[in-house]
Coordinates of all heavy atoms in Angstrom, one line a residue:
M1 N 111.5 119.5 46.2 CA 110.7 120.6 46.5 C 111.4 121.6 47.4 O 110.9 122.6 47.7 CB 109.4 120.1 47.2 CG 108.5 119.2 46.3 SD 108.1 120.1 44.8 CE 106.7 121.2 45.4
K2 N 112.6 121.2 47.9 CA 113.3 122.2 48.8 C 113.7 123.4 48.0 O 113.6 124.6 48.5 CB 114.5 121.5 49.3 CG 115.3 122.4 50.3 CD 116.5 121.6 50.8 CE 117.4 122.6 51.7 NZ 118.6 122.0 52.0
W3 N 114.1 123.3 46.7 CA 114.4 124.5 45.9 C 113.3 125.4 45.8 O 113.5 126.7 45.7 CB 115.0 124.1 44.6 CG 114.0 123.4 43.7 CD1 113.6 122.0 43.6 CD2 113.2 124.2 42.8 NE1 112.7 121.9 42.6 CE2 112.3 123.0 42.2 CE3 112.9 125.4 42.4 CZ2 111.3 123.4 41.3 CZ3 111.9 125.6 41.4 CH2 111.2 124.7 40.9
L4 N 112.0 124.9 45.6 CA 110.9 125.6 45.5 C 110.5 126.6 46.8 O 110.2 127.7 46.6 CB 109.6 124.9 45.2 CG 108.3 125.5 44.9 CD1 108.5 126.5 43.6 CD2 107.2 124.5 44.5
K5 N 110.8 126.0 47.9 CA 110.6 126.6 49.2 C 111.6 127.8 49.2 O 111.3 128.9 49.7 CB 110.7 125.7 50.4 CG 110.5 126.3 51.7 CD 110.6 125.3 52.8 CE 110.3 126.0 54.1 NZ 111.1 125.7 55.3
E6 N 113.0 127.5 48.8 CA 113.9 128.6 48.9 C 113.6 129.7 47.9 O 113.9 130.9 48.3 CB 115.3 127.9 48.5 CG 115.8 126.9 49.6 CD 117.1 126.3 49.2 OE1 117.7 126.8 48.3 OE2 117.6 125.5 50.0
V7 N 113.1 129.5 46.7 CA 112.7 130.5 45.9 C 111.6 131.2 46.5 O 111.5 132.6 46.4 CB 112.3 130.0 44.4 CG1 111.8 131.0 43.6 CG2 113.6 129.3 43.8
Y8 N 110.6 130.6 47.0 CA 109.4 131.3 47.6 C 109.9 132.2 48.8 O 109.5 133.4 48.9 CB 108.4 130.3 48.2 CG 107.3 130.9 49.0 CD1 106.3 131.5 48.4 CD2 107.3 130.9 50.4 CE1 105.3 132.1 49.1 CE2 106.3 131.5 51.0 CZ 105.4 132.1 50.5 OH 104.3 132.6 51.3
E9 N 110.9 131.7 49.6 CA 111.4 132.6 50.5 C 112.2 133.7 50.2 O 112.1 134.8 50.8 CB 112.3 131.6 51.7 CG 111.4 130.6 52.4 CD 112.4 129.7 53.3 OE1 113.6 129.7 53.1 OE2 111.6 128.9 54.0
L10 N 112.7 133.6 49.1 CA 113.5 134.8 48.4 C 112.4 136.0 48.1 O 112.7 137.1 48.5 CB 114.2 134.5 47.2 CG 115.5 133.8 47.3 CD1 116.0 133.4 45.9 CD2 116.6 134.8 47.9
F11 N 111.3 135.5 47.6 CA 110.3 136.5 47.2 C 109.7 137.1 48.6 O 109.3 138.4 48.6 CB 109.3 136.0 46.4 CG 109.6 135.9 44.9 CD1 110.0 134.8 44.4 CD2 109.6 137.0 44.2 CE1 110.5 134.6 43.1 CE2 110.0 136.9 42.8 CZ 110.3 135.7 42.3
V12 N 109.5 136.4 49.5 CA 108.9 136.8 50.7 C 109.8 137.7 51.6 O 109.4 138.7 52.1 CB 108.5 135.6 51.7 CG1 108.0 136.0 53.0 CG2 107.3 134.8 51.0
D13 N 111.1 137.3 51.7 CA 112.1 138.1 52.4 C 112.6 139.3 51.7 O 113.2 140.1 52.4 CB 113.2 137.2 52.8 CG 112.9 136.1 53.7 OD1 111.8 136.3 54.4 OD2 113.5 135.1 53.8
D14 N 112.5 139.4 50.4 CA 113.0 140.4 49.7 C 111.9 141.3 48.9 O 111.5 140.9 47.8 CB 114.0 140.0 48.7 CG 115.0 141.0 48.0 OD1 114.5 142.2 48.2 OD2 115.7 140.6 47.3
P15 N 111.4 142.4 49.5 CA 110.4 143.1 48.8 C 110.7 143.7 47.5 O 109.9 143.9 46.6 CB 110.0 144.2 49.9 CG 111.1 144.4 50.8 CD 111.9 143.0 50.7
I16 N 112.0 144.0 47.2 CA 112.3 144.5 46.0 C 112.2 143.4 44.9 O 111.8 143.7 43.7 CB 113.9 145.0 46.0 CG1 114.0 146.2 46.9 CG2 114.4 145.4 44.7 CD1 115.4 146.6 47.3
L17 N 112.7 142.2 45.3 CA 112.4 141.1 44.3 C 110.9 140.9 44.0 O 110.5 140.7 42.8 CB 113.0 139.9 45.0 CG 113.1 138.6 44.0 CD1 113.8 138.9 42.8 CD2 113.7 137.5 44.9
A18 N 110.1 141.0 45.0 CA 108.5 140.9 44.7 C 108.2 142.0 43.8 O 107.3 141.7 42.9 CB 107.8 140.8 46.0
L19 N 108.7 143.2 44.0 CA 108.2 144.4 43.2 C 108.7 144.2 41.7 O 108.0 144.4 40.8 CB 108.9 145.6 43.8 CG 108.6 146.9 43.1 CD1 107.0 147.1 43.0 CD2 109.3 148.1 43.6
M20 N 110.0 143.6 41.6 CA 110.4 143.4 40.2 C 109.7 142.3 39.5 O 109.4 142.4 38.3 CB 111.9 143.0 40.3 CG 112.9 144.1 40.6 SD 112.6 145.6 39.5 CE 113.3 144.8 38.0
A21 N 109.1 141.3 40.2 CA 108.3 140.4 39.7 C 106.9 140.9 39.2 O 106.5 140.6 38.1 CB 108.0 139.2 40.6
L22 N 106.4 141.8 40.0 CA 105.2 142.5 39.5 C 105.5 143.4 38.3 O 104.5 143.5 37.4 CB 104.6 143.3 40.6 CG 104.1 142.6 41.8 CD1 103.6 143.5 42.9 CD2 102.8 141.7 41.4
V23 N 106.6 144.0 38.3 CA 106.9 144.9 37.1 C 107.0 144.0 35.8 O 106.6 144.4 34.8 CB 108.3 145.6 37.4 CG1 108.8 146.2 36.1 CG2 108.1 146.7 38.4
A24 N 107.7 142.7 36.1 CA 107.8 141.8 34.9 C 106.4 141.5 34.4 O 106.2 141.3 33.2 CB 108.6 140.6 35.4
L25 N 105.5 141.3 35.3 CA 104.3 140.8 34.8 C 103.5 142.0 34.2 O 102.9 141.8 33.1 CB 103.4 140.4 36.0 CG 103.7 139.0 36.6 CD1 102.8 138.8 37.9 CD2 103.5 138.0 35.5
A26 N 103.7 143.2 34.6 CA 103.0 144.4 33.9 C 103.6 144.6 32.5 O 102.9 144.9 31.6 CB 103.2 145.6 34.8
V27 N 104.9 144.5 32.4 CA 105.6 144.6 31.0 C 105.1 143.5 30.1 O 104.8 143.8 29.0 CB 107.1 144.5 31.3 CG1 107.8 144.5 29.9 CG2 107.6 145.9 31.9
A28 N 105.0 142.3 30.7 CA 104.6 141.2 29.9 C 103.1 141.3 29.4 O 102.7 141.0 28.2 CB 104.7 139.8 30.7
L29 N 102.3 141.9 30.3 CA 100.8 142.1 29.8 C 100.8 143.1 28.8 O 100.2 143.0 27.8 CB 100.1 142.6 31.0 CG 98.7 143.1 31.0 CD1 97.8 141.8 30.5 CD2 98.1 143.7 32.1
V30 N 101.6 144.3 28.8 CA 101.6 145.3 27.7 C 102.1 144.6 26.5 O 101.5 144.9 25.4 CB 102.5 146.5 28.3 CG1 102.8 147.4 27.0 CG2 101.8 147.2 29.2
L31 N 103.2 143.8 26.5 CA 103.6 143.1 25.4 C 102.7 142.2 24.7 O 102.5 142.1 23.5 CB 105.1 142.5 25.7 CG 106.3 143.4 25.9 CD1 107.5 142.6 26.4 CD2 106.6 144.2 24.7
A32 N 102.0 141.4 25.6 CA 101.1 140.5 25.1 C 99.9 141.3 24.3 O 99.3 140.8 23.4 CB 100.4 139.6 26.2
K33 N 99.5 142.3 25.0 CA 98.3 143.1 24.4 C 98.8 143.6 23.0 O 97.9 143.9 22.2 CB 97.8 144.2 25.3 CG 97.2 143.7 26.6 CD 95.8 143.1 26.3 CE 95.1 142.8 27.5 NZ 93.8 142.1 27.1
L34 N 100.1 143.9 22.9 CA 100.5 144.5 21.6 C 100.8 143.4 20.5 O 101.1 143.7 19.5 CB 101.7 145.3 21.8 CG 101.7 146.7 22.7 CD1 103.1 147.1 22.8 CD2 100.9 147.6 21.9
G35 N 100.5 142.3 21.0 CA 100.6 141.0 20.0 C 101.9 140.5 19.9 O 102.2 139.7 18.9
A36 N 102.7 140.4 20.9 CA 104.0 139.8 21.0 C 104.0 138.9 22.3 O 104.8 139.0 23.2 CB 105.0 140.8 21.0
P37 N 103.3 137.7 22.2 CA 103.3 136.8 23.5 C 104.6 136.2 23.7 O 105.0 136.0 24.9 CB 102.0 135.9 23.2 CG 102.0 135.9 21.6 CD 102.4 137.2 21.2
S38 N 105.4 135.9 22.6 CA 106.6 135.2 22.9 C 107.6 136.2 23.5 O 108.4 135.7 24.4 CB 107.2 134.8 21.4 OG 106.4 133.8 21.0
V39 N 107.6 137.5 23.0 CA 108.4 138.5 23.6 C 108.0 138.6 25.1 O 108.9 139.0 26.0 CB 108.4 139.7 22.9 CG1 109.3 140.9 23.5 CG2 108.9 139.5 21.5
A40 N 106.8 138.6 25.3 CA 106.2 138.8 26.7 C 106.7 137.7 27.7 O 107.2 138.0 28.9 CB 104.7 138.9 26.8
G41 N 106.7 136.4 27.1 CA 107.3 135.4 28.0 C 108.7 135.6 28.3 O 109.2 135.3 29.3
L42 N 109.5 136.0 27.2 CA 111.0 136.2 27.3 C 111.1 137.3 28.3 O 112.1 137.3 29.1 CB 111.5 136.5 26.0 CG 113.0 136.8 25.9 CD1 113.7 135.6 26.3 CD2 113.4 137.3 24.6
A43 N 110.3 138.4 28.3 CA 110.5 139.5 29.2 C 110.3 139.1 30.7 O 111.1 139.4 31.6 CB 109.6 140.6 28.9
I44 N 109.4 138.2 30.9 CA 109.1 137.7 32.3 C 110.3 136.9 32.7 O 110.8 137.2 33.9 CB 107.9 136.7 32.3 CG1 106.6 137.6 32.3 CG2 107.8 136.1 33.7 CD1 105.3 136.8 32.0
F45 N 110.9 136.0 31.8 CA 112.1 135.2 32.1 C 113.3 136.1 32.5 O 113.9 135.9 33.5 CB 112.2 134.2 31.1 CG 113.6 133.5 31.3 CD1 113.6 132.5 32.2 CD2 114.8 133.8 30.7 CE1 114.8 131.7 32.4 CE2 116.0 133.1 30.9 CZ 116.0 132.1 31.8
L46 N 113.6 137.0 31.6 CA 114.6 137.8 31.8 C 114.6 138.7 33.0 O 115.6 138.8 33.8 CB 114.9 138.7 30.6 CG 115.4 138.0 29.3 CD1 115.3 138.8 28.1 CD2 116.6 137.2 29.6
V47 N 113.5 139.3 33.3 CA 113.4 140.2 34.5 C 113.4 139.4 35.7 O 114.1 139.9 36.7 CB 112.1 141.1 34.4 CG1 111.9 141.8 35.6 CG2 112.2 142.0 33.3
V48 N 112.6 138.3 35.8 CA 112.7 137.6 37.0 C 114.0 136.9 37.2 O 114.6 136.9 38.3 CB 111.5 136.5 37.0 CG1 111.7 135.5 38.1 CG2 110.2 137.2 37.1
A49 N 114.6 136.3 36.2 CA 116.0 135.7 36.3 C 117.1 136.8 36.9 O 117.9 136.5 37.7 CB 116.4 135.0 35.0
G50 N 117.0 137.9 36.2 CA 117.9 139.1 36.6 C 117.7 139.4 37.9 O 118.7 139.7 38.8
S51 N 116.5 139.6 38.4 CA 116.2 140.0 39.8 C 116.5 138.9 40.8 O 117.2 139.3 41.7 CB 114.5 140.1 39.9 OG 114.2 141.3 39.0
L52 N 116.4 137.6 40.5 CA 116.9 136.6 41.3 C 118.5 136.6 41.4 O 119.0 136.5 42.5 CB 116.4 135.2 40.9 CG 115.0 134.8 41.2 CD1 114.6 133.7 40.3 CD2 114.7 134.7 42.7
W53 N 119.1 136.8 40.2 CA 120.5 136.8 40.2 C 121.1 138.1 41.2 O 122.0 137.8 41.9 CB 121.0 137.0 38.9 CG 122.5 137.0 38.6 CD1 123.4 136.1 38.9 CD2 123.3 138.3 38.3 NE1 124.7 136.5 38.6 CE2 124.6 137.9 38.2 CE3 122.9 139.6 38.1 CZ2 125.6 138.8 38.0 CZ3 123.9 140.4 37.7 CH2 125.2 140.0 37.7
L54 N 120.5 139.2 41.0 CA 120.8 140.4 41.8 C 120.6 140.1 43.2 O 121.4 140.5 44.2 CB 120.1 141.6 41.3 CG 120.6 142.1 40.0 CD1 119.8 143.3 39.6 CD2 122.1 142.6 40.1
S55 N 119.4 139.5 43.6 CA 119.1 139.2 45.0 C 120.0 138.3 45.6 O 120.6 138.5 46.8 CB 117.6 138.8 45.0 OG 117.3 138.4 46.4
V56 N 120.5 137.2 44.9 CA 121.5 136.4 45.5 C 122.9 137.0 45.5 O 123.5 136.7 46.5 CB 121.5 135.1 44.5 CG1 122.6 134.1 44.9 CG2 120.2 134.4 44.6
R57 N 123.3 137.8 44.6 CA 124.5 138.5 44.8 C 124.6 139.4 45.8 O 125.7 139.6 46.5 CB 124.8 139.3 43.5 CG 125.2 138.4 42.3 CD 125.8 139.2 41.2 NE 127.1 139.6 41.6 CZ 127.8 140.6 41.0 NH1 127.2 141.2 40.1 NH2 129.0 141.0 41.3
R58 N 123.4 140.1 46.3 CA 123.4 141.1 47.4 C 123.7 140.3 48.7 O 124.2 141.0 49.6 CB 122.1 141.9 47.5 CG 122.1 142.9 46.4 CD 120.8 143.8 46.8 NE 119.6 142.9 46.8 CZ 118.4 143.2 46.7 NH1 118.2 144.4 46.5 NH2 117.4 142.4 46.9
D59 N 123.2 139.1 48.7 CA 123.3 138.4 50.1 C 124.7 137.8 50.4 O 125.6 137.8 50.3 CB 122.3 137.2 50.0 CG 120.9 137.7 50.2 OD1 120.7 138.9 50.6 OD2 120.0 136.9 49.8

């Protein structure tokens, strides 16, 4: 569970990362409403994974 705490602390300490997570959810909501739930899930994964990668690289 230590890894979960570290991921949580990334979102709390990095407001840009938290904003990108909200953007990912908004994009996924639009895609799901358009009838592409699989693409919506992929969008969430890619945006959050990319945001985490950039956040870790900045530190």
Side-chain angles (χ1 to χ4, degrees):
M1 294 302 281
K2 182 180 177 183
W3 66 271
L4 186 59
K5 184 179 182 219
E6 290 178 9
V7 170
Y8 173 77
E9 288 173 355
L10 276 174
F11 281 99
V12 171
D13 292 339
D14 193 352
I16 295 171
L17 186 59
L19 180 65
M20 289 303 294
L22 291 175
V23 168
L25 288 175
V27 168
L29 177 66
V30 170
L31 289 172
K33 291 290 183 179
L34 291 174
S38 296
V39 177
L42 181 63
I44 289 174
F45 174 77
L46 290 176
V47 172
V48 171
S51 299
L52 284 169
W53 180 72
L54 285 174
S55 178
V56 170
R57 280 194 76 202
R58 280 190 309 201
D59 291 341

